[in-house]
Amino acid sequence: MTCNVMAGEPIITHAVRMDAMGLSAGTIEYRCTGPAGGPVLVFVHGFLVDGTVWADVPDRLGELGFRCYVPTWPMGSHTLALNPGADGTPAGVAEMVLEFVAHLGVPSVTLVGNDSGGAVCQLALGSDPARIGTLVLTNCDAFEVFPPFPFDIVIRLVRRPRLARAVLAPLAWRTMRDSPVAFGWLAKRRLPGDLTAAWVRPYLSDAAIRADVAGFAAGIRRRTLLDNLPALTAYQRPVLICWGADDRFFRPTLARRLSATFPDVKLVEVAQARTFLALDQPGRLATEIAAFLAEAARPAEGVTPAGQRSGG
């Protein structure tokens, strides 16, 4: 897939070649863009969507020299169910993210999270921050907002696979997918019908995937991210919080609270964007990430790349 880095309209491609990585919990499919050897980014999408929620942001960054991995995590829109007995809770998915990163064989990566994927990134920090060199959070769960109303009601209902089937079945119709209790208010623009249909197809058609949906939902608790806060305050590396300012669920006040927890943070609020920031403002998001990583890669004033003070 190619794109114009300066363009604002997202390019969304479904027919892309997917690679696969075997993890302890199951097989994770992913696509990769950008040159081998470039700084590595790993993207973490949210619940009941897949990697296409990032639109062409990874491709824009790939054209700028970054190596971007865009997995489909087992949060409902995946097509390969987890192994029996695997931990598919948010904490379990955080361990999968860390295992995926370890298999890449690089010293550290930039994690990029959105929606409940941002919560997963926070939990990864709480488990093992060593391989997370930098962190980018777009509109996502934080503190007691896990998840926001009215999605907390949906989460409670889908914790049982049989009930999940009945609750999720109406998403087969586009009018329901476009509603405020589904995807309708998560982006400024009306999302393409084929995009949202692809998101819901796995869990509407496969009982094993619905079981994974129930497992993820069962692990969502209001205290989870609050209990994880010490990991955020202890994380000393650079953090970018890039937030769609028009979000009706994850409001800018949440972004400001979140930014206050990190020692080294940059907060950017983006107009004309909601939860799915990458779909609303792909060019702006790619630009902000690239600039942030360029700044993070510069040695501190008076410090050489080897970490030694320069001068006599």
Side-chain angles (χ1 to χ4, degrees), residues 149-173:
F149 177 83
F151 299 110
D152 56 338
I153 299 172
V154 177
I155 291 295
R156 288 197 295 270
L157 292 174
V158 300
R159 285 174 178 163
R160 297 182 180 181
R162 290 185 179 180
L163 187 56
R165 181 177 184 179
V167 171
L168 298 172
L171 295 177
W173 288 276

Side-chain angles (χ1 to χ4, degrees), residues 3 17 34 72 76 92 95 97 116 123 147 186 209 213 235 237 273 295:
C3 62
R17 184 180 67 85
T72 294
E95 294 300 323
V97 171
S116 43
L123 294 173
L186 296 177
I209 302 298
V213 167
Y235 185 70
R237 296 169 182 174
E295 179 64 27

Side-chain angles (χ1 to χ4, degrees), residues 243-258:
W243 212 265
D246 298 331
D247 199 327
R248 301 186 181 207
F249 305 109
F250 302 117
R251 298 185 182 276
T253 51
L254 185 66
R256 294 165 201 154
R257 286 177 62 198
L258 186 58

Side-chain angles (χ1 to χ4, degrees), residues 42-44 73 75 89-102 109-113 116-137 141 146 216 224-225 227-235 237 262:
V42 175
F43 289 75
V44 187
W73 301 104
M75 301 191 209
T89 65
V93 176
E95 294 300 323
M96 296 177 213
V97 171
L98 292 169
E99 185 179 354
F100 184 96
V101 169
V109 305
T110 299
L111 283 190
V112 187
S116 43
V120 168
C121 291
Q122 294 171 55
L123 294 173
L125 283 184
S127 178
D128 182 7
R131 290 186 182 272
I132 305 172
T134 43
L135 177 67
V136 177
L137 295 176
D141 300 89
F146 188 40
F216 187 85
T224 300
L225 297 183
D227 292 341
N228 191 63
L229 276 178
L232 277 57
T233 58
Y235 185 70
R237 296 169 182 174
F262 290 103

